């Protein structure tokens, strides 16, 4: 019965196949099970597009996971609204919708978090500027450079950094879906784990590390045992450097508490 | 909170007036902060280290590393600090480096061990770490972070 919804999710995107499926989708009645399944498959097929677009916004102070999530909403809308008879490529049609969702997310976040608007804007522009300057100079910027770039005083930059650290305390406590990361984490952790060999209370540390969300564990090991800078890790993981810093600080204090209990 | 020792005090050493672009004196500036050995005050040290590192033109990466490092160093000391005593923190700024020492009066005067996770973390963050003990249970952790050394 559900034979029209092949399991295409794990295959690389095949444009002509996608095109065909979209034509089939348009013909199926809105409430049919087959349509539902086909729709799901089409959404999964196009997730790489979603991730690609979300990544373009990753240095602006929002976790990539969140961006991928809202971008996926844009994709679903696109699948539902796409009209194959118009002869436009689906990706051409979907891209503005997906980007629109992401942009809307940035606007909405501004109101969702109760941080003075001025500080919040400062935080966002700081994060973006840090990403931009890092890319341009090939290294993390100084406060002076940030001040020059944003036409603010160094005092204001430091204030912005402080508030950036404080501001995410709440939202960071929310559970984070880290499933996407798990593959890449498994790939990279083997060697980092070896570098932990010299650490004495490895035995009490190990179970605590195991409990960390994959992304946090990865960030921690890359910084402290993988010899990478915060900016390099930010690029690797796809979040802002300021976010890396917050996660590091938070993870360390969690481990500290855990180790104290052990003692 | 009942003695004057619990009031945070900020003093800048080196009597010569500031000069030059960065407002630093030539050579070596020292800033010391004394505050209660209670974790609630650590945010002051985090802010201070960020502000001072910015004066030295450290990069954002380095500033954030220092912020986490001072937190880690103090947390290590505070676990064994005698309640009601002070934490003394001195920042020495030179052209190329920030040299930080934090000292607490601890219950056993035991110097942090070098093969611990915490030590590995401090080394990764600061570059150079050492610990020593003084009279009456005093323990000092010293962090030296050089500018422009990645990792």
């Amino acid at each position: 019965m559900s034979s029209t919804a092949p399991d295409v999710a794990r295959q690389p995107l095949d444009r002509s196949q996608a095109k065909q499926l979209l034509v089939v989708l348009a013909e199926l009645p809105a409430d049919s099970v087959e349509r539902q399944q086909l729709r799901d498959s089409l959404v999964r097929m196009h997730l790489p597009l979603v991730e690609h677009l979300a990544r373009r916004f990753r240095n602006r102070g929002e976790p990539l996971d969140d961006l991928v999530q809202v971008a996926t909403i844009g994709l679903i809308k696109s699948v539902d609204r796409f009209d194959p008879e118009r002869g436009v490529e689906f990706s051409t049609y979907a891209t503005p919708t997906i980007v629109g969702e992401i942009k809307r997310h940035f606007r909405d976040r501004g109101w969702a978090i109760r941080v003075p608007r001025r500080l919040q804007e400062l935080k966002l522009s700081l994060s973006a500027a840090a990403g931009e300057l890092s890319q341009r100079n090939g290294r993390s910027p100084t406060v002076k450079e940030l001040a020059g770039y944003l036409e603010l005083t160094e005092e204001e930059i430091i204030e912005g950094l402080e508030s950036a650290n404080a501001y995410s305390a709440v939202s960071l406590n929310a559970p984070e879906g880290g499933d996407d990361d798990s593959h890449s984490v498994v790939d990279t952790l083997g060697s980092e784990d070896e570098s932990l060999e010299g650490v004495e209370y490895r035995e009490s540390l190990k179970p605590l590390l195991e409990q960390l969300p994959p992304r946090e564990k990865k960030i921690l090991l890359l910084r402290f045992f993988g010899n990478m800078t915060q900016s390099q890790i930010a690029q690797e993981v796809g979040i802002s450097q300021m976010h890396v810093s917050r996660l590091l600080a938070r993870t360390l204090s969690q481990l500290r508490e855990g180790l104290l209990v052990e003692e | 909170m009942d003695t004057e020792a619990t009031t945070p005090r900020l003093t800048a050493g080196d009597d010569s007036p500031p000069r030059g672009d960065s407002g630093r004196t030539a050579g070596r500036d020292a800033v010391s902060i004394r505050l209660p050995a209670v974790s609630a005050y650590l945010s002051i040290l985090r802010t201070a280290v960020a502000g001072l590192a910015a004066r030295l033109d450290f990069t954002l990466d380095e500033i954030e590393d220092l912020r986490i490092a001072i937190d880690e160093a103090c947390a290590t000391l505070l676990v064994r600090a005698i309640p009601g005593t002070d934490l003394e923190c001195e920042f020495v700024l030179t052209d190329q480096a920030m040299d930080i020492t934090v000292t607490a009066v601890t219950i056993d005067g035991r110097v942090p061990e070098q093969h611990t996770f915490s030590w590995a973390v401090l080394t990764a963050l600061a570059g150079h770490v050492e610990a020593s003990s003084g009279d009456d249970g005093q323990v000092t952790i010293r962090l030296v972070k050089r500018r422009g050394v990645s990792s």
Side-chain angles (χ1 to χ4, degrees), chain A residues 10-56:
Chain A
R10 316 244 172 276
Q11 292 166 19
L13 181 57
D14 174 340
R15 274 176 199 277
S16 62
Q17 192 192 10
K19 210 170 188 171
Q20 270 184 335
L21 292 176
L22 282 158
V23 173
V24 177
L25 184 83
E27 287 162 357
L28 288 168
D31 55 349
S32 78
V33 180
E34 284 169 44
R35 187 181 197 283
Q36 194 61 44
Q37 285 168 340
L38 193 53
R39 179 177 177 255
D40 289 349
S41 301
L42 277 163
V43 168
R44 281 196 294 262
M45 276 172 94
H46 289 91
L47 283 179
L49 173 66
V50 160
E51 275 160 29
H52 170 74
L53 293 173
R55 243 167 237 286
R56 298 203 327 215

Side-chain angles (χ1 to χ4, degrees), chain A residues 67-226:
Chain A
L67 296 180
V68 169
Q69 220 153 47
V70 294
T72 306
I73 295 171
L75 172 63
I76 294 170
K77 284 182 181 171
S78 306
V79 169
D80 286 344
R81 291 174 192 164
F82 182 68
D83 179 0
E85 284 179 14
R86 283 216 201 144
V88 202
E89 277 287 325
F90 176 72
S91 58
T92 312
Y93 174 82
T95 299
T97 312
I98 293 169
V99 169
E101 274 313 310
I102 298 173
K103 287 188 172 164
R104 211 165 64 120
H105 172 72
F106 277 101
R107 280 203 301 273
D108 291 350
R109 287 288 278 182
W111 298 102
I113 302 158
R114 285 184 200 120
V115 162
R117 193 159 182 78
R118 185 183 68 86
L119 281 182
Q120 195 187 318
E121 275 166 4
L122 178 57
K123 186 226 160 195
L124 278 176
S125 47
L126 258 182
S127 195
E132 194 114 348
L133 287 173
S134 294
Q135 209 140 42
R136 191 198 285 175
N137 304 334
R139 60 156 176 81
S140 167
T142 65
V143 168
K144 197 181 284 174
E145 287 164 348
L146 283 166
Y149 183 81
L150 291 169
E151 296 181 349
L152 293 168
T153 64
E154 294 180 30
E155 215 75 60
E156 286 170 306
I157 300 297
I158 292 171
E159 185 192 17
L161 294 176
E162 298 290 331
S163 72
N165 278 297
Y167 132 85
S168 276
V170 182
S171 63
L172 281 177
N173 285 333
E176 285 155 286
D179 293 67
D180 292 348
D181 302 34
S182 32
H183 304 291
S184 55
V185 172
V186 172
D187 291 345
T188 52
L189 284 191
S191 56
E192 314 300 342
D193 267 349
E194 280 165 30
S195 58
L196 272 167
E197 287 295 347
V199 177
E200 204 169 63
Y201 47 96
R202 182 172 155 75
E203 281 321 302
S204 55
L205 187 68
K206 213 176 157 192
L208 291 170
L209 287 177
E210 302 294 323
Q211 286 167 25
L212 292 175
R215 184 178 62 174
E216 270 81 335
K217 184 179 173 192
K218 181 179 182 180
I219 292 174
L220 187 89
L221 294 180
L222 287 178
R223 178 66 196 92
F224 298 133
F225 302 97

Side-chain angles (χ1 to χ4, degrees), chain A residues 237-256:
Chain A
V237 181
I239 58 179
S240 71
Q241 177 264 322
M242 282 151 84
H243 196 187
V244 169
S245 178
R246 291 193 296 270
L247 288 176
L248 278 176
R250 188 185 62 163
T251 308
L252 274 183
S253 77
Q254 277 174 2
L255 288 178
R256 216 146 49 206

Side-chain angles (χ1 to χ4, degrees), chain B residues 5 23 37 40 45 55 67 81 83 86 122 127 138 140-142 151:
Chain B
L45 291 182
R55 296 180 77 85
R67 211 201 289 267
D86 284 351
L122 285 175
Q138 274 200 348
T140 299
I141 296 180
R142 178 169 176 228
S151 90

